[in-house]
Amino acid sequence: MDFDFSEDQGALRDAVQKWVEKGYDFERRRAIVAAGGFDRAAYGELADLGLAGLYVSEEDGGLGMGPVEGMVVMEALGRGIVLEPLAQTLITTGLLGGYAPAELKAAWLPRMASGEALVVLAHQERKARYKLDVCATTATQAGSGWALSGTKNLVPAADQADAFVVPAMAAGKLALFLVERTATGVGSSGHLTQDGSRAGELTLKDTPAQLITTDGLTALEHGVDIGIAAACAEAVGVMDKTVSITVEYMNTRKQFGVAIASFQALRHRVADMKMQLELARSMSYYASLKLNAPAPERRAAMARAKVQLGQSMRFVGQQAVQLHGGIGVTDEYIVSHYFKKLTQLEMTYGDTLHHLGEVSNRMQDTAGVFA
Amino acid sequence: MDFDFSEDQGALRDAVQKWVEKGYDFERRRAIVAAGGFDRAAYGELADLGLAGLYVSEEDGGLGMGPVEGMVVMEALGRGIVLEPLAQTLITTGLLGGYAPAELKAAWLPRMASGEALVVLAHQERKARYKLDVCATTATQAGSGWALSGTKNLVPAADQADAFVVPAMAAGKLALFLVERTATGVGSSGHLTQDGSRAGELTLKDTPAQLITTDGLTALEHGVDIGIAAACAEAVGVMDKTVSITVEYMNTRKQFGVAIASFQALRHRVADMKMQLELARSMSYYASLKLNAPAPERRAAMARAKVQLGQSMRFVGQQAVQLHGGIGVTDEYIVSHYFKKLTQLEMTYGDTLHHLGEVSNRMQDTAGVFA
Amino acid sequence: MDLAFTPEEQAFREEIRGWVKANLPAETAHKVHNALRLTRDDLQGWAKILGKKGWLGWGWPKEFGGPGWNAVQKHLFEEECALAGAPRVVPFGPVMVAPVIMAFGNKEQQERFLPGIASGEVWWSQGYSEPGSGSDLASVKCRAERQGDKYIVNGQKTWTTLGQYGEWIFCLVRTSTEGKPQTGISFLLIDMKSPGVSVRPIKLLDGECEVNEVWFDNVEVPAENLIGEENKGWTYAKHLLSHERTNIADVNRAKRELERLKRIARTEGVWDDVRFRDQIALLEVDVVALEMLVLRVLSAEKSGKNSLDIAGLLKIKGSEIQQRYSELMMLAAGPYSLPFIEEAMEAGWQGNFPGGEAANAPLASTYFNMRKTTIYGGSNEVQRNIVAQTVLG
Amino acid sequence: MDLAFTPEEQAFREEIRGWVKANLPAETAHKVHNALRLTRDDLQGWAKILGKKGWLGWGWPKEFGGPGWNAVQKHLFEEECALAGAPRVVPFGPVMVAPVIMAFGNKEQQERFLPGIASGEVWWSQGYSEPGSGSDLASVKCRAERQGDKYIVNGQKTWTTLGQYGEWIFCLVRTSTEGKPQTGISFLLIDMKSPGVSVRPIKLLDGECEVNEVWFDNVEVPAENLIGEENKGWTYAKHLLSHERTNIADVNRAKRELERLKRIARTEGVWDDVRFRDQIALLEVDVVALEMLVLRVLSAEKSGKNSLDIAGLLKIKGSEIQQRYSELMMLAAGPYSLPFIEEAMEAGWQGNFPGGEAANAPLASTYFNMRKTTIYGGSNEVQRNIVAQTVLG
């Protein structure tokens, strides 16, 4: 048992953090939001740091790293509330690397690792809410290949991505497919989301697709779990920075002749924020360290983590705004953007109540980090 | 719409409050607990004030008053955490008055009103938890009368009461009966409860009983609702006094050279206690003012009230102890007794989660005090 | 003690209900019921309809042209308006400055300003907060210097709600720096078309411009626009704040929004989920408890026998409830509250909202916006200070 | 970064587990698993068994006869003991005063006192709090006046846990009233059999006598019982408090009690009630999160590379969890937690518990008793002050 980061992990964090601080300041971010919430150049810079290939094997041109490195990177990106969906690349490279046939891997992973191809997960449907096994998109065999029809929503950077990992029902069973955006019958649109990033709708009409795996639910659950661990880590970065911003403000802002950091009721609120931050950080570690565990153990861990993170995010975000007072609800001042990011992350891959249900349904007699 | 108390109601409150302050101090209460948690003499004094006949018609020797008067009285008793179960008398006189045949009323109500006979509700069974329609006690017709068999738990003053109102299954349907403690086949035991009052087990073996009503569930629900309204009012009295005790302590107790009432974090806690107290008082009014409404409206109101009261009781009780510090967990100092009373009241006639379920199940599109 | 309204009160309610039904524009009600964007015309249109009926100053005594209703009647009026989907009346004129003018203004001021307020013709704004003085209102710095028969005003106000539409603004200005901060404040009415007044909208976190900065650069204000005495403004401001009681809890709106929450929960398929439903049930209890608290205050006002000094509690609980229903609405839609499509918040938008429910478009924005409720009007921390003071001394 | 324990750590755990299984008296474990009343013999019996093995001072370095375990090994030992149902070791001797004696006592004191602590033969108590100084520990008034080669002690201590069994007591006493309150405090070891010492048990709200008042009336204490220097006691006391880190969170006990909660929920029929089950699920997440927090601190201690100054968080969260599981156990039993039958809290009681589950007998009492956890050991309010200080400055 050891929670120290290795030197390499430390160097990775420093590199990403440096890019965030120097290369992705609030003004650049604001400009990206104004331009639609996604900047291919910024994504390219992340790829240039090697981050798009984090989970890609070295033979396929990646770094061949694991969940802890993923966590380190996502936390650093979270501190800068970076809009570009690197978490999607962690998910889709993870899925292709783990479940796709060799030729599909060879065709895509190197391009994904280099940042040339952005591939995102397109699983959300209208009736599914947070359920992964609800899917109306269909896949039918068409010659040697497959054809997909259906609509997916809230697909990250839908109109900018190069390809999509798409769950669809093939002969009554969920399977996973790779769909290129330039394929026939593909429609994609784009819109901003509440946190300033970009998403869109993906429509498929007899669209040619390549099979990743027929064991689609297993793979999808795994992919979403990669996403949950990434979201947890990102959230820790967002919260850590949110607390710093708030602390700085409280030591500057004066009311009744003194810094508001001197009011005991507000001080205790900050203590509670620190509590939520450290519990969240602990559970983010837990999620990432369980990401390679057997599926049942992994799923249970993600649910527990998301319950803690969800509670922490809501508390830290709301209180940060409250402690800022009026300035906290303006667009101009940065803290509201952190709050909105936290709000969106809570609803990403299942909100707190959803995962509480998962924890509740999975409860055993014995519980703990190792049980 | 008018929440002013009438002059008579004010006089009633003053009379009860005076008795509590002068006649039922902490030392007397402590002696009653030490002697088993019930004092017939004290109960007699309540009856002498007319309180046992509060819900008994004037022709049967009572005061013929209603829920608001019941609320006024219970709140005043709550301030003194009086042990004797006057609420039981409100329930049983209400049930007999509303549902019993004339000869049963004539035989019992005058004696109940005078305090000569104490009649309590004996409905709790092991498997029922908070459900009123779960009942294993059976009633069979025996000649012109009935015979009951079964076991009831947590019967207030079981070994001191003169008779019991007992739900039992008669031909598959819940009916209500009156059982005298001296009847054949009756066994009763006694023990303290956590708040210092007395309860016990009642066992019935082919015990002769008089039928109150075959529409037992309707009547039992009504009786329990009288109990809920009484518990809410009592709780408001307990909380009101708890807040006063805490405020007084905080203005006296010094730490770091100043009264602890000067610490902002603690001051805000007191503000939250005041909030809970006033919300609770509001919902106690609501409960009592809905006690004569049609059954569905009445039941819904009691559930809502109990949810608010439950939350308020837990918060006020726990925080009162916390704000007292060490002295708050001693037996010697009075506040712990108020805390224990609040704890027990929360679990009386359904706890917060139980009633939240009731509210949840009954939700309509429109909600409000008048909907 | 009686929960029911009297037959007279019931009849009064029926009258209001009928009138509102007949006079509230359907388009406006539709926007309110769906949290769509309200225009200046929506707001002022309804104000003028009320004004024509003599009800825009629904809290005003008869001597000033109001209906002279008692506390319960005012509440019934507010409730019927809210439940029918009327927009909240912008309070700065009829609810805030008018009572101050009535209590402390001179006859000339009353005759000059009240008619425009009562009719809804003149849009008033509030100039209280400044960048340095939020919770600490007594520290206002915006200066007004007396020069002959005018004041020269210099400084800045902020958080001026809907100030972009404002024609007049009532301000707390500093006329003296001597003594305690409270003693050097005056209450001044300023024509916003005066040279030197500039208004800059502040974009809020939901993308909307609801509040403004207002700058005064050597603005000349006739001394006759001073309310009451110089340096006594703090007293008048406090009067204004204490005037607001039950209104601040906004329980009638909460009841309407609770209904909307239930509609959304049904549409989004979480109505039958015990976990989610229980959250609504808890909120329902909160709303009923708040309503009872409000009714108790109203009853005390009506009878005058008891006074319940629990305005702070109403503000705290009311604002928490507003935040909670907006939170639950957003959580009910879950991922489908996440698209941020500004046009979709306009009535009549015909686009394709991702997931298909255009009604979800404003949910997250409303949630974000509602964070203000525990900050403005005296932050809930300040309210807790006040409540604690009444309890602990 | 690795979550798993090393093979060596695993082997260590197995060794402990086997030994505890073989040596923990079954009767004691039964009482602990069911929250039944523990006698002095239960507690001291287990202490002596540990002492014989050399593990009562499980946190001690080898030079003082301890096993010299690192932070992780200590945790594994504590976890195995807790899960097996061992009673908590009364900490005043081996965990609290011993490290102070090791760090600040002289050789003679170490040789005189440590063996009796290590063997479990001598029962130590703590004399910190006084009626006037709870959270404000520096304000202690209990006086020790130097007269020749002794101190004459006069005053009172309170909240002395299990002081009715105490043979020795370590006390903060005032030896000077000059300067800041902190500078006049000394750390004195007092034989409780000395003339003038009297102990009065304080009955708590659950009816038990767990804490005591201790009175000193002209008690003569040899000057050789002074630890370190006169008037430096505050420093030693702070050392003691900072020594306690993860232990205070009591997460191992929480895991055991979470299991017990689930057993009770099944027996009482609420395990399948979504509403109740969700409350347990939330607590389970809390417990796992606390355990991760504890593991992070342990890892940091082991590696020495990072230091995590979050002892305050451990205290706050740990105590809240203790309160919550005791609350949920009581609520699970609901009405059947309400009978107060003192005898039923004794192991082997054969009476008829109302409702039939004698295991319910201690539930409410435990809930009441657990209110202490947010008060003692530095109240949670004081802990929040400390945490805020580290974050805000």
Side-chain angles (χ1 to χ4, degrees):
Chain A
M1 195 213 59
D2 168 21
F3 293 97
D4 288 336
F5 293 101
S6 70
E7 274 184 37
D8 285 353
Q9 289 163 350
L12 180 65
R13 181 190 53 228
D14 293 347
V16 181
Q17 219 154 284
K18 190 177 149 195
W19 177 81
V20 167
E21 282 162 20
K22 307 252 159 117
Y24 203 87
D25 64 12
F26 191 40
E27 288 317 307
R28 182 177 187 189
R29 186 184 188 278
R30 188 184 285 286
I32 294 173
V33 175
F38 175 80
D39 182 25
R40 189 71 186 221
Y43 182 75
E45 292 165 36
L46 292 174
D48 290 346
L49 288 169
L51 307 185
L54 209 64
Y55 287 175
V56 177
S57 68
E58 294 182 56
E59 64 187 13
D60 283 324
L63 297 176
M65 287 178 168
V68 175
E69 286 79 9
M71 179 177 82
V72 165
V73 168
M74 289 310 301
E75 193 174 319
L77 294 179
R79 290 180 61 86
I81 44 175
V82 171
L83 298 158
E84 286 65 31
L86 186 77
Q88 290 300 312
T89 304
L90 298 183
I91 294 170
T92 54
T93 53
L95 282 177
L96 286 176
Y99 297 89
E103 67 274 20
L104 209 54
K105 288 193 206 181
W108 284 91
L109 286 174
R111 293 169 57 216
M112 291 164 77
S114 71
E116 185 193 336
L118 171 64
V119 183
V120 300
L121 179 65
H123 75 293
Q124 185 73 51
E125 295 192 7
R126 172 58 181 149
K127 296 208 168 156
R129 203 174 151 80
Y130 299 123
K131 294 198 196 81
L132 299 180
D133 57 354
V134 174
C135 179
T137 299
T138 56
T140 49
Q141 224 143 1
S144 64
W146 293 81
L148 268 55
S149 293
T151 301
K152 303 286 182 179
N153 295 116
L154 286 161
V155 180
D159 57 356
Q160 308 287 324
D162 301 291
F164 308 91
V165 171
V166 183
M169 297 305 291
K173 188 165 177 281
L174 200 72
L176 277 199
F177 298 89
L178 187 88
V179 174
E180 296 187 56
R181 189 156 61 85
T182 54
T184 56
V186 171
S188 68
S189 62
H191 57 77
L192 281 176
T193 59
Q194 297 292 343
D195 68 351
S197 69
R198 190 163 187 81
E201 202 165 68
L202 175 71
T203 55
L204 306 172
K205 214 174 210 169
D206 294 324
T207 297
Q210 288 172 280
L211 180 70
I212 297 172
T213 172
T214 53
D215 196 5
L217 189 57
T218 300
L220 178 60
E221 287 179 349
H222 194 172
V224 165
D225 285 354
I226 295 173
I228 290 176
C232 289
E234 189 177 5
V236 169
V238 180
M239 281 189 276
D240 194 75
K241 183 77 178 176
T242 303
V243 171
S244 304
I245 292 169
T246 306
V247 164
E248 199 188 326
Y249 182 77
M250 289 176 71
N251 277 311
T252 313
R253 168 76 171 174
K254 289 189 176 176
Q255 291 282 275
F256 305 105
V258 291
I260 62 171
S262 64
F263 293 108
Q264 193 192 29
L266 308 191
R267 295 180 73 80
H268 280 201
R269 204 86 56 82
V270 170
D272 290 338
M273 290 171 76
K274 171 74 172 167
M275 171 72 84
Q276 290 303 317
L277 170 60
E278 292 303 335
L279 292 173
R281 193 191 306 279
S282 301
M283 290 305 272
S284 168
Y285 287 7
Y286 174 71
S288 284
L289 292 170
K290 290 279 189 183
L291 197 50
N292 287 338
E297 190 181 333
R298 188 195 73 220
R299 296 243 80 197
M302 297 307 141
R304 286 169 167 178
K306 200 67 171 35
V307 170
Q308 179 61 59
L309 268 291
Q311 295 177 91
S312 292
M313 285 192 271
R314 205 183 296 179
F315 185 82
V316 169
Q318 292 180 347
Q319 293 307 324
V321 170
Q322 182 70 23
L323 290 170
H324 276 80
I327 198 97
V329 295
T330 63
D331 176 77
E332 189 179 338
Y333 195 75
I334 198 169
V335 77
S336 70
H337 300 267
Y338 281 82
F339 167 55
K340 290 197 282 185
K341 179 72 188 174
L342 289 172
T343 304
Q344 183 151 333
L345 278 173
E346 191 194 336
M347 286 183 280
T348 300
Y349 306 125
D351 68 4
T352 310
L353 270 191
H354 168 81
H355 283 293
L356 179 60
E358 296 286 308
V359 175
S360 188
N361 292 338
R362 291 164 193 276
M363 274 206 296
Q364 308 289 322
D365 287 345
T366 305
V369 167
F370 303 100
Chain B
M1 196 213 56
D2 168 21
F3 294 96
D4 288 335
F5 293 101
S6 68
E7 275 185 38
D8 285 354
Q9 289 161 350
L12 180 64
R13 181 189 53 229
D14 293 346
V16 181
Q17 218 152 287
K18 190 176 150 198
W19 176 80
V20 166
E21 282 160 22
K22 307 253 159 118
Y24 203 85
D25 64 14
F26 191 39
E27 287 317 306
R28 182 179 187 187
R29 186 183 187 277
R30 188 183 284 285
I32 293 172
V33 174
F38 175 80
D39 181 27
R40 190 72 187 221
Y43 182 75
E45 292 165 34
L46 292 173
D48 290 346
L49 287 168
L51 308 184
L54 209 65
Y55 287 176
V56 176
S57 67
E58 294 182 56
E59 62 188 14
D60 283 323
L63 297 175
M65 287 178 168
V68 175
E69 286 79 9
M71 179 175 82
V72 165
V73 168
M74 288 311 301
E75 192 174 322
L77 295 179
R79 290 181 61 86
I81 43 174
V82 171
L83 298 158
E84 285 65 31
L86 186 77
Q88 290 299 313
T89 304
L90 298 183
I91 295 170
T92 55
T93 53
L95 283 176
L96 286 175
Y99 297 89
E103 67 274 18
L104 209 53
K105 288 193 208 183
W108 285 92
L109 286 174
R111 291 170 56 216
M112 291 164 76
S114 71
E116 183 192 337
L118 171 64
V119 183
V120 299
L121 180 64
H123 75 295
Q124 185 73 51
E125 293 191 9
R126 172 59 181 147
K127 296 208 169 155
R129 204 173 149 83
Y130 299 123
K131 296 198 196 80
L132 299 181
D133 57 355
V134 174
C135 179
T137 299
T138 55
T140 49
Q141 222 141 2
S144 64
W146 294 81
L148 266 56
S149 293
T151 302
K152 303 286 181 178
N153 294 115
L154 286 160
V155 180
D159 58 355
Q160 308 288 322
D162 301 291
F164 308 91
V165 172
V166 183
M169 298 304 290
K173 188 164 178 282
L174 199 73
L176 278 197
F177 298 88
L178 186 87
V179 174
E180 296 187 56
R181 189 156 61 86
T182 52
T184 57
V186 170
S188 68
S189 62
H191 57 77
L192 281 176
T193 60
Q194 297 293 343
D195 68 350
S197 70
R198 190 163 188 81
E201 203 165 69
L202 175 70
T203 54
L204 306 171
K205 212 172 209 172
D206 294 326
T207 298
Q210 287 173 281
L211 180 71
I212 298 172
T213 171
T214 55
D215 198 5
L217 189 58
T218 301
L220 178 60
E221 287 179 349
H222 194 171
V224 164
D225 284 354
I226 296 172
I228 289 176
C232 290
E234 189 177 4
V236 169
V238 179
M239 283 189 275
D240 194 76
K241 183 75 179 182
T242 303
V243 171
S244 305
I245 292 169
T246 306
V247 164
E248 199 188 325
Y249 182 77
M250 289 177 69
N251 277 312
T252 313
R253 167 78 170 172
K254 288 190 175 176
Q255 291 282 275
F256 306 103
V258 292
I260 62 171
S262 63
F263 293 108
Q264 194 192 30
L266 307 191
R267 294 180 75 78
H268 281 201
R269 203 87 57 81
V270 170
D272 291 337
M273 288 170 77
K274 171 74 172 168
M275 171 72 83
Q276 290 303 318
L277 170 61
E278 292 303 335
L279 292 174
R281 193 191 307 277
S282 300
M283 290 304 271
S284 167
Y285 286 9
Y286 174 71
S288 284
L289 292 169
K290 290 279 189 184
L291 197 50
N292 288 337
E297 188 181 332
R298 188 195 73 220
R299 296 243 79 200
M302 296 306 141
R304 287 169 167 178
K306 201 67 172 35
V307 170
Q308 179 61 58
L309 268 290
Q311 295 178 90
S312 293
M313 285 191 272
R314 205 183 298 178
F315 185 82
V316 169
Q318 292 180 346
Q319 293 307 325
V321 169
Q322 181 70 23
L323 290 170
H324 276 80
I327 198 97
V329 294
T330 62
D331 176 78
E332 190 178 337
Y333 196 75
I334 198 168
V335 78
S336 70
H337 299 268
Y338 281 81
F339 167 55
K340 291 197 281 186
K341 179 72 190 177
L342 290 171
T343 305
Q344 182 151 335
L345 278 172
E346 190 193 337
M347 287 184 277
T348 300
Y349 306 125
D351 69 5
T352 310
L353 271 191
H354 169 81
H355 283 293
L356 179 61
E358 296 287 307
V359 174
S360 189
N361 293 338
R362 289 163 195 277
M363 275 206 296
Q364 309 287 322
D365 289 343
T366 305
V369 167
F370 303 100
Chain C
M1 194 180 233
D2 191 356
L3 190 56
F5 289 101
T6 64
E8 294 72 31
E9 287 165 345
Q10 281 293 1
F12 177 85
R13 179 197 285 281
E14 293 301 330
E15 184 199 339
I16 302 289
R17 182 175 297 178
W19 183 86
V20 172
K21 196 175 173 190
N23 289 280
L24 175 65
E27 166 80 1
T28 306
H30 170 76
K31 289 182 183 177
V32 169
H33 278 304
N34 295 281
L36 298 170
R37 203 175 276 141
L38 291 164
T39 63
R40 178 188 168 128
D41 285 349
D42 289 323
L43 296 170
Q44 200 165 18
W46 174 236
K48 286 181 182 172
I49 292 168
L50 286 173
K52 207 165 166 192
K53 177 73 177 172
W55 287 352
L56 184 55
W58 74 98
W60 297 16
K62 282 194 174 165
E63 57 175 307
F64 291 108
W69 291 334
N70 67 24
V72 172
Q73 289 170 315
K74 286 184 226 170
H75 171 77
L76 291 172
F77 171 78
E78 289 161 12
E79 181 172 11
E80 288 304 321
C81 287
L83 295 182
R88 269 201 101 182
V89 168
V90 178
F92 309 111
V95 181
M96 301 183 85
V97 75
V100 173
I101 294 174
M102 292 178 210
F104 305 104
N106 56 38
K107 186 128 192 86
E108 200 193 319
Q109 289 168 332
Q110 289 167 353
E111 282 170 4
R112 182 168 163 216
F113 293 110
L114 292 179
I117 297 174
S119 68
E121 293 292 333
V122 181
W123 190 296
W124 280 79
S125 290
Q126 181 191 40
Y128 271 26
S129 294
E130 296 181 8
S133 68
S135 292
D136 180 14
L137 203 55
S139 70
V140 292
K141 290 197 179 62
C142 183
R143 281 192 64 81
E145 280 177 280
R146 182 76 181 239
Q147 290 188 0
D149 60 353
K150 357 182 220 260
Y151 286 97
I152 309 300
V153 180
N154 278 290
Q156 185 196 348
K157 293 292 176 181
T158 193
W159 311 131
T160 308
T161 302
L162 298 177
Q164 65 265 54
Y165 308 141
E167 294 164 297
W168 278 80
I169 185 168
F170 57 96
C171 289
L172 294 184
V173 291
R174 181 150 306 282
T175 39
S176 165
T177 52
E178 295 181 15
K180 286 203 300 176
Q182 287 85 347
T183 56
I185 293 171
S186 296
F187 197 106
L188 205 56
L189 311 182
I190 305 178
D191 186 340
M192 291 180 78
K193 293 179 295 297
S194 310
V197 176
S198 54
V199 176
R200 186 183 79 88
I202 301 172
K203 193 174 165 189
L204 294 189
L205 78 173
D206 58 354
E208 305 285 311
C209 291
E210 192 182 37
V211 294
N212 299 266
E213 291 178 318
V214 181
W215 301 81
F216 300 93
D217 180 18
N218 283 317
V219 175
E220 297 187 2
V221 180
E224 68 204 42
N225 290 7
L226 177 76
I227 294 289
E229 292 177 48
E230 201 175 272
N231 297 332
K232 289 261 175 85
W234 185 252
T235 314
Y236 314 148
K238 275 197 350 194
H239 172 85
L240 189 162
L241 291 172
S242 72
H243 208 80
E244 271 301 86
R245 294 179 67 93
T246 60
N247 207 11
I248 205 165
D250 229 348
V251 69
N252 302 312
R253 180 176 171 193
K255 283 161 68 177
R256 186 185 72 216
E257 297 294 334
L258 181 59
E259 282 185 35
R260 181 166 152 242
L261 167 61
K262 290 172 178 176
R263 286 205 307 275
I264 293 169
R266 283 184 202 276
T267 307
E268 297 298 320
V270 292
W271 176 254
D272 296 320
D273 169 354
V274 171
R275 270 177 202 100
F276 200 92
R277 203 185 155 88
D278 278 4
Q279 306 300 315
I280 306 178
L282 264 177
L283 180 64
E284 179 169 307
V285 172
D286 279 343
V287 170
V288 172
L290 178 66
E291 191 177 8
M292 280 299 300
L293 199 57
V294 166
L295 293 174
R296 282 174 59 205
V297 174
L298 292 175
S299 165
E301 285 187 11
K302 188 174 76 165
S303 76
K305 268 193 257 174
N306 307 297
S307 95
L308 285 179
D309 193 11
I310 50 182
L313 298 182
L314 293 177
K315 163 65 172 40
I316 295 169
K317 191 70 186 172
S319 57
E320 288 174 354
I321 284 175
Q322 285 178 291
Q323 293 186 334
R324 185 61 179 155
Y325 63 66
S326 69
E327 183 171 279
L328 285 176
M329 285 177 191
M330 176 183 71
L331 292 173
Y336 290 105
S337 69
L338 294 178
F340 178 62
I341 299 175
E342 288 203 71
E343 317 84 80
M345 283 177 257
E346 296 286 350
W349 181 70
Q350 297 291 332
N352 163 35
F353 191 80
E357 296 296 332
N360 291 346
L363 299 184
S365 293
T366 304
Y367 167 70
F368 295 141
N369 183 275
M370 284 292 152
R371 301 319 301 173
K372 72 187 178 192
T373 63
T374 47
I375 296 170
Y376 70 9
S379 75
N380 284 21
E381 287 78 14
V382 167
Q383 301 295 341
R384 282 192 172 83
N385 286 346
I386 294 169
V387 173
Q389 185 69 30
T390 65
V391 180
L392 284 164
Chain D
M1 194 179 231
D2 191 357
L3 190 56
F5 289 101
T6 64
E8 294 74 28
E9 288 165 345
Q10 281 293 358
F12 177 85
R13 181 198 282 282
E14 293 301 330
E15 184 202 339
I16 303 289
R17 183 175 297 176
W19 183 86
V20 172
K21 197 176 174 191
N23 289 279
L24 175 64
E27 165 81 3
T28 306
H30 171 76
K31 288 182 183 177
V32 168
H33 278 304
N34 293 282
L36 298 171
R37 201 176 276 140
L38 291 164
T39 63
R40 176 187 172 132
D41 285 348
D42 289 323
L43 296 170
Q44 201 165 14
W46 174 236
K48 286 181 181 171
I49 291 168
L50 286 172
K52 210 167 163 188
K53 176 74 177 170
W55 288 353
L56 183 55
W58 74 97
W60 297 15
K62 281 193 177 165
E63 56 175 309
F64 291 108
W69 291 334
N70 67 23
V72 171
Q73 289 170 314
K74 286 184 226 169
H75 171 76
L76 291 173
F77 171 78
E78 289 162 12
E79 182 173 12
E80 288 303 320
C81 287
L83 295 182
R88 271 200 101 182
V89 168
V90 178
F92 309 110
V95 181
M96 301 183 84
V97 76
V100 172
I101 294 173
M102 292 179 211
F104 305 104
N106 56 39
K107 187 130 190 84
E108 200 195 319
Q109 289 168 333
Q110 290 168 352
E111 283 170 5
R112 181 168 163 218
F113 293 111
L114 292 180
I117 297 175
S119 67
E121 292 293 333
V122 181
W123 189 297
W124 281 79
S125 290
Q126 182 190 41
Y128 270 26
S129 294
E130 297 180 8
S133 68
S135 292
D136 181 15
L137 203 55
S139 70
V140 290
K141 289 196 179 66
C142 184
R143 283 192 63 81
E145 278 177 281
R146 181 78 180 239
Q147 289 188 1
D149 59 353
K150 2 180 214 259
Y151 286 96
I152 309 300
V153 180
N154 279 291
Q156 185 195 348
K157 294 290 175 180
T158 192
W159 311 129
T160 307
T161 302
L162 300 177
Q164 65 264 52
Y165 308 141
E167 295 165 294
W168 280 80
I169 185 166
F170 58 96
C171 289
L172 293 183
V173 291
R174 182 151 304 282
T175 38
S176 165
T177 52
E178 291 179 17
K180 286 203 299 177
Q182 287 85 348
T183 56
I185 293 172
S186 297
F187 196 105
L188 205 56
L189 311 183
I190 304 177
D191 184 341
M192 291 179 80
K193 293 179 295 298
S194 311
V197 176
S198 54
V199 176
R200 186 182 77 89
I202 302 172
K203 193 174 166 188
L204 294 188
L205 80 174
D206 57 356
E208 305 286 311
C209 290
E210 193 182 36
V211 294
N212 299 266
E213 291 180 318
V214 181
W215 301 81
F216 301 93
D217 181 17
N218 282 316
V219 175
E220 296 186 4
V221 180
E224 67 206 43
N225 290 8
L226 177 76
I227 293 289
E229 294 176 49
E230 201 174 271
N231 296 334
K232 289 261 173 87
W234 185 252
T235 315
Y236 314 146
K238 273 195 354 196
H239 173 83
L240 189 162
L241 291 172
S242 71
H243 208 80
E244 271 300 87
R245 294 177 68 93
T246 58
N247 206 9
I248 205 165
D250 228 349
V251 70
N252 302 311
R253 179 175 171 193
K255 283 161 68 178
R256 185 185 73 216
E257 296 293 335
L258 181 58
E259 283 186 35
R260 180 164 153 243
L261 167 60
K262 289 172 179 175
R263 286 205 307 277
I264 294 169
R266 284 185 202 277
T267 307
E268 297 298 319
V270 292
W271 176 256
D272 297 318
D273 170 354
V274 171
R275 270 178 201 99
F276 200 92
R277 203 184 154 90
D278 278 4
Q279 306 301 314
I280 305 178
L282 265 176
L283 179 64
E284 179 169 305
V285 172
D286 279 342
V287 169
V288 173
L290 178 66
E291 191 178 7
M292 280 299 301
L293 199 57
V294 166
L295 293 175
R296 283 174 59 206
V297 174
L298 291 176
S299 165
E301 285 186 13
K302 188 174 74 166
S303 77
K305 270 194 258 174
N306 307 296
S307 93
L308 284 177
D309 194 12
I310 49 182
L313 298 182
L314 294 178
K315 164 63 175 29
I316 295 168
K317 191 69 185 175
S319 57
E320 288 175 352
I321 284 175
Q322 286 180 289
Q323 293 185 336
R324 184 62 178 154
Y325 63 65
S326 70
E327 183 170 280
L328 285 176
M329 284 177 193
M330 176 185 71
L331 292 172
Y336 290 104
S337 69
L338 294 178
F340 178 61
I341 300 175
E342 288 202 71
E343 316 83 80
M345 283 176 255
E346 296 286 351
W349 182 69
Q350 297 292 332
N352 163 38
F353 192 79
E357 298 296 330
N360 291 347
L363 299 184
S365 292
T366 304
Y367 166 71
F368 295 141
N369 182 275
M370 285 291 151
R371 303 319 301 172
K372 74 188 177 192
T373 64
T374 48
I375 295 170
Y376 70 8
S379 75
N380 283 22
E381 287 77 14
V382 167
Q383 301 295 341
R384 283 192 170 85
N385 286 345
I386 294 169
V387 173
Q389 185 69 31
T390 66
V391 180
L392 285 163

